[in-house]
Amino acid sequence: IKEKTEDLKRERQLAEDLLHQMLPKSVAKQLRKCQKVEAENYDQVTVFFSDIVGFTSIAASCTPLQVVEMLNNLYVCFDSRIESYDVYKVETIGDAYMVVSGLPERNGTKHADEIAKMSLDLVAAVRQVVIPHMPTGRLQLRAGMHTGPCVAGVVGYKMPRYCLFGDTVNTASRMESTSLPQKIHLSSATYDALLTDDAYEIELRGEIEVKGKGKMKTYWLLGNKNYSVKN
């Protein structure tokens, strides 16, 4: 009986660990208790998006297995890196990687700083990712981030997902899509949030036309004065 009990405990722990990789711990706890998970409003968070430059053409020249292997290598690298920061990985969609700081656990005014440090780390790390079928090739990342309010909650019953909603998410995605290879694109809101401790090297990009937003004043994040990892 003791051995069976220990086996049961191990299996339960494995199931919990898997659940916590798919949903925030606080949300998973409520779902396990069959409680309804209420959507929450967050006044300030920072959202990060990235994707691989030229992914469509890279994927077209690969077998399906090679595409999966390439993305798996990339995301295993990224997933291990982001554990060093106070961030939550929301999801991956194809070659797009979405991370947020400031939810589900609020962290005051630290969210922009956490995402900025993480983004510099990921842009540097992507150059080290080995592509098995392209040994001489290297991936390039295009990244963007934005700070603002959003709503977060669980959507779905069969395969519940923790999702973010609001203009902040859309604007962060626009910052990524209008960025350049190996560049981190900042909105004015994120730039203002990072000014508080004067820890970053930031360059004005100028006014650009952003779909659905009109002209926006944006910036490039170049590095952190206190860290050796720089773009």
Side-chain angles (χ1 to χ4, degrees):
I1 292 173
K2 186 178 179 182
E3 285 179 5
K4 290 291 183 184
T5 303
E6 289 300 317
D7 289 343
L8 183 61
K9 282 181 180 178
R10 278 194 295 272
E11 290 299 322
R12 181 178 292 172
Q13 188 61 51
L14 285 171
E16 284 191 9
D17 290 345
L18 181 61
L19 185 60
H20 293 160
Q21 288 172 25
M22 300 168 67
L23 293 166
K25 285 186 179 181
S26 56
V27 171
K29 188 176 180 181
Q30 291 177 66
L31 287 175
R32 281 205 311 274
K33 292 180 179 179
C34 299
Q35 295 176 353
K36 183 181 178 183
V37 181
E38 297 290 342
E40 275 196 76
N41 186 66
Y42 294 85
D43 294 332
Q44 286 284 297
V45 301
T46 297
V47 180
F48 167 93
F49 277 94
S50 71
D51 74 357
I52 298 169
V53 178
F55 177 74
T56 304
S57 58
I58 293 172
S61 64
C62 306
T63 66
L65 185 61
Q66 287 172 336
V67 173
V68 172
E69 191 175 28
M70 175 177 65
L71 288 178
N72 186 59
N73 284 354
L74 179 69
Y75 293 152
V76 165
C77 171
F78 281 10
D79 290 349
S80 63
R81 294 271 183 160
I82 69 172
E83 287 182 359
S84 303
Y85 308 98
D86 183 13
V87 300
Y88 175 72
K89 175 185 168 183
V90 182
E91 60 184 346
T92 56
I93 308 168
D95 65 317
Y97 196 80
M98 181 185 179
V99 185
V100 64
S101 182
L103 66 77
E105 304 300 328
R106 292 172 174 83
N107 58 4
T109 59
K110 288 171 53 185
H111 46 85
D113 179 55
E114 292 294 320
I115 289 289
K117 286 187 293 189
M118 179 209 75
S119 62
L120 288 165
D121 195 348
L122 297 190
V123 167
V126 73
R127 304 296 290 163
Q128 310 304 318
V129 176
V130 176
I131 313 170
H133 61 281
M134 293 169 59
T136 59
R138 285 293 178 266
L139 299 175
Q140 288 186 303
L141 209 64
R142 182 171 49 231
M145 47 196 280
H146 177 61
T147 302
C150 82
V151 170
V154 175
V155 174
Y157 171 70
K158 287 289 185 184
M159 193 174 174
R161 301 285 294 277
Y162 187 69
C163 299
L164 274 56
F165 304 95
D167 190 58
T168 296
V169 178
N170 298 333
T171 304
S173 179
R174 294 280 185 249
M175 290 297 100
E176 178 274 311
S177 62
T178 53
S179 186
L180 294 174
Q182 291 300 103
K183 290 279 195 178
I184 302 163
H185 198 196
L186 306 180
S187 67
S188 291
T190 303
Y191 169 74
D192 291 340
L194 292 176
L195 279 182
T196 53
D197 56 3
D198 190 34
Y200 292 92
E201 295 174 22
I202 299 173
E203 179 182 278
L204 175 67
R205 181 182 191 180
E207 282 196 345
I208 64 164
E209 189 70 31
V210 179
K211 186 179 178 182
K213 305 295 292 182
K215 286 193 178 295
M216 289 183 69
K217 188 178 182 181
T218 62
Y219 301 81
W220 296 122
L221 176 62
L222 304 179
N224 186 305
K225 298 172 186 176
N226 302 320
Y227 293 86
S228 58
V229 174
K230 290 186 179 181
N231 178 17

